Amino acid sequence: MSNQAFVANLYHAPEKGSFDYIEQACIEVDDLGMITQVLSPDHPNYATLVEQHENTRSLTRLADHQYLLPGLVDLHTHAPQWPQAGKGLDLPLHDWLNQYTFPLESRYSDLTFAARIYPELVDTLLAHGTTTAMYFATIDSAPSEYLASVCKEKGQRALVGKISMDEKSMCPDYYVESSTQQALSDAEAFIQNVNEIDAKQGLIYPVVTPRFVPTSTKALLEGLSKLVSQYQCHVQTHASESDWARDFTEQTYQKTDVELYNETGLLTRKTVLAHSIFLSESDKETIKTVGAGIAHCPLSNMYFADAAFPLREAIDKDLHVGLGSDLSGGPLPSIFHAALDAVSHSRVREAGTNTHIMEQRGEASTRVSFVEAFWLATHGGGLTLDLPVGVFKPDTTSTHLWLIATPMVAKFVFMMISIASKTSWRKSLCIPPNLRFRQFG
């Protein structure tokens, strides 16, 4: 397949805090799906590039009511929990896991059940604009590999992890791996099998996935780190998600989650720590030094953390951070919604909640803008994963969104635009009542 090009109005956030609009940009994509050029109409080579692709019939022009956005990046979602979205959110984390989550996840040992759920889930995330997702699967290898195959078939860039959990005192008898050695053996086989599914074409990635400290022995963490080193895999896990989880690590190991993961070799440039609410200053420095990232899950944090993640401080410290839907601790599959929640979360932090305090009610200068939230949902997520996604520029992938007649999304985009800029291209839209995405790349 030869190079192809698109002429379209595009929006993206190429740098933290910036939001760019290019009217009638020409984006060229090579036969490997990588962007080779992004030219604006005033570029001296623009007309030549457009004419070249018109002559070879490899040019697609979007209509005036169509737009290009970078694909959205979901850094933290639990694929098997999709059927229970919205259930049990009144419970503490420990009770929610044992009453709802572990019983549901154990059902995926039946591949017939997995086949009922996973295709619908992936279709749903794609329909909400998520072209890159980092998935927790289950402890069972076959359904976890099936999830990777579904993502491959549907064209979603996916980082899929078979969960590792071997601490029998913290897991139900029906949902725990038989031994540490078996857990490590299964994790390695999973890595090898997922690599074969994608043949290292850059679409599907295996992820080493210790669920969190309470369900993992230290021997498991140390063994998994050897696999990370051997196969250069991504890592995902939960860190300091709740008071209970934080206290467990401190009482058991006299360390923070970050200190333990770093000590056992699981904290790398390719590590994504979900939640990470109760971080010490030393933890933040370690994360920054290593280059690991954080998946901010604002909606589920409201249900289970009883505390607010300091997003403003993480951004200002230049930590790698993006957004996660955290299905089903967060009951909504939309990263656009997570971006709105991140803004709302930060506003509540800054404004405070106690109406009986008239002065200094909140935490000053902690709000996050809509532009920053959009960056987190796209390019920030890509940087966190150390993958070339979430932005329009050469040497990034062409998995982006083609927006057609978008009332909800256009409102969000133009809300950011109106806040970010007063330039003359901002305009009102007459938008039909349907909403859909087309994915290309």
Side-chain angles (χ1 to χ4, degrees):
M1 183 179 70
S2 60
N3 289 9
Q4 57 181 320
F6 300 82
V7 171
N9 302 322
L10 69 80
Y11 307 95
H12 69 156
E15 303 292 339
K16 178 177 61 178
S18 72
F19 188 79
D20 287 0
Y21 167 75
I22 305 177
E23 190 168 0
Q24 294 298 291
C26 184
I27 305 99
E28 185 183 52
V29 180
D30 68 17
D31 57 359
L32 298 177
M34 300 297 289
I35 293 174
T36 58
Q37 300 184 73
V38 181
L39 304 183
S40 59
D42 59 359
H43 192 282
N45 296 334
Y46 179 89
T48 301
L49 184 64
V50 171
E51 182 180 7
Q52 171 190 327
H53 284 282
E54 284 180 330
N55 291 339
T56 58
R57 298 188 176 184
S58 55
L59 181 73
T60 300
R61 288 184 181 271
L62 273 64
D64 287 343
H65 65 283
Q66 299 174 331
Y67 307 89
L68 289 184
L69 296 180
L72 305 180
V73 180
D74 190 339
L75 291 180
H76 184 58
T77 191
H78 291 264
Q81 295 177 23
W82 175 231
Q84 72 175 30
K87 293 183 179 179
L89 298 179
D90 58 322
L91 297 175
L93 177 62
H94 180 271
D95 296 342
W96 179 78
L97 288 170
N98 285 282
Q99 293 184 34
Y100 287 93
T101 304
F102 291 156
L104 174 60
E105 289 189 7
S106 69
R107 295 184 62 186
Y108 286 82
S109 58
D110 177 4
L111 273 175
T112 303
F113 183 74
R116 288 171 48 196
I117 306 301
Y118 284 156
E120 176 192 315
L121 167 69
V122 176
D123 283 341
T124 299
L125 292 188
L126 285 170
H128 282 82
T130 299
T131 57
T132 300
M134 194 171 210
Y135 290 107
F136 273 62
T138 68
I139 68 171
D140 295 295
S141 296
S144 301
E145 292 167 16
Y146 170 70
L147 172 61
S149 297
V150 170
C151 296
K152 172 74 172 180
E153 176 187 349
K154 294 182 180 294
Q156 185 186 52
R157 178 167 286 98
L159 301 94
V160 181
K162 187 203 84 67
I163 293 175
S164 297
M165 41 193 280
D166 69 332
E167 178 50 72
K168 291 181 169 54
S169 66
M170 298 299 294
C171 302
D173 293 340
Y174 62 84
Y175 195 59
V176 64
E177 295 180 280
S178 59
S179 68
T180 302
Q181 188 53 50
Q182 188 62 52
L184 294 172
S185 177
D186 289 349
E188 182 169 23
F190 173 80
I191 293 168
Q192 294 171 345
N193 291 341
V194 171
N195 281 335
E196 288 183 7
I197 289 171
D198 189 50
K200 293 191 174 181
Q201 294 180 15
L203 192 65
I204 309 297
Y205 300 81
V207 184
V208 168
T209 309
R211 187 180 207 109
F212 63 160
V213 173
T215 56
S216 307
T217 63
K218 191 172 184 182
L220 176 66
L221 299 179
E222 292 170 340
L224 290 174
S225 74
K226 294 178 182 177
L227 296 180
V228 172
S229 178
Q230 179 179 349
Y231 292 97
Q232 294 299 295
C233 289
H234 284 80
V235 179
Q236 63 180 342
T237 188
H238 299 83
S240 298
E241 179 178 3
S242 67
D243 291 297
W244 167 72
R246 175 203 60 198
D247 293 346
F248 178 92
T249 306
E250 292 183 352
Q251 292 168 8
T252 304
Y253 296 102
Q254 292 74 54
K255 301 179 186 297
T256 66
D257 283 355
V258 171
E259 288 170 342
L260 183 63
Y261 290 138
N262 193 40
E263 178 183 285
T264 54
L266 286 172
L267 206 63
T268 76
R269 174 63 184 91
K270 293 184 177 182
T271 298
V272 177
L273 303 170
H275 308 291
S276 303
I277 296 168
F278 304 99
L279 298 180
S280 67
E281 290 304 313
S282 175
D283 288 340
K284 295 173 188 175
E285 286 297 332
T286 299
I287 291 171
K288 182 173 182 177
T289 299
V290 171
I294 295 170
H296 176 40
C297 308
L299 193 54
S300 63
N301 288 350
M302 295 179 195
Y303 289 117
F304 292 118
D306 296 325
F309 173 68
L311 179 59
R312 174 78 272 154
E313 293 88 332
I315 292 174
D316 290 345
K317 196 174 181 65
D318 291 324
L319 300 183
H320 293 302
V321 60
L323 297 176
S325 62
D326 194 21
L327 288 172
S328 66
L332 301 175
S334 170
I335 289 299
F336 268 121
H337 202 293
L340 289 168
D341 288 332
V343 172
S344 301
H345 211 210
S346 73
R347 294 288 183 89
V348 171
R349 281 191 69 206
E350 185 174 80
T353 59
N354 189 339
T355 58
H356 299 289
I357 300 175
M358 303 310 295
E359 296 181 2
Q360 298 182 336
R361 188 163 54 220
E363 299 176 80
S365 303
T366 53
R367 71 170 54 191
V368 172
S369 71
F370 286 102
V371 171
E372 289 171 315
F374 182 72
W375 176 81
L376 292 168
T378 54
H379 193 29
L383 291 172
T384 300
L385 293 173
D386 198 23
L387 293 178
V389 299
V391 67
F392 292 102
K393 66 179 183 180
D395 299 322
T396 61
T397 64
S398 62
T399 306
H400 296 92
L401 303 179
W402 178 340
L403 271 65
I404 307 174
T406 56
M408 180 180 71
V409 176
K411 285 179 182 177
F412 180 78
V413 171
F414 279 86
M415 179 161 41
M416 292 187 295
I417 292 167
S418 65
I419 293 171
S421 173
K422 300 295 183 182
T423 54
S424 60
W425 53 262
R426 197 181 44 172
K427 56 187 177 181
S428 298
L429 294 179
C430 295
I431 300 172
N434 58 316
L435 165 67
R436 70 189 162 103
F437 286 108
R438 284 184 60 185
Q439 178 189 358
F440 74 89

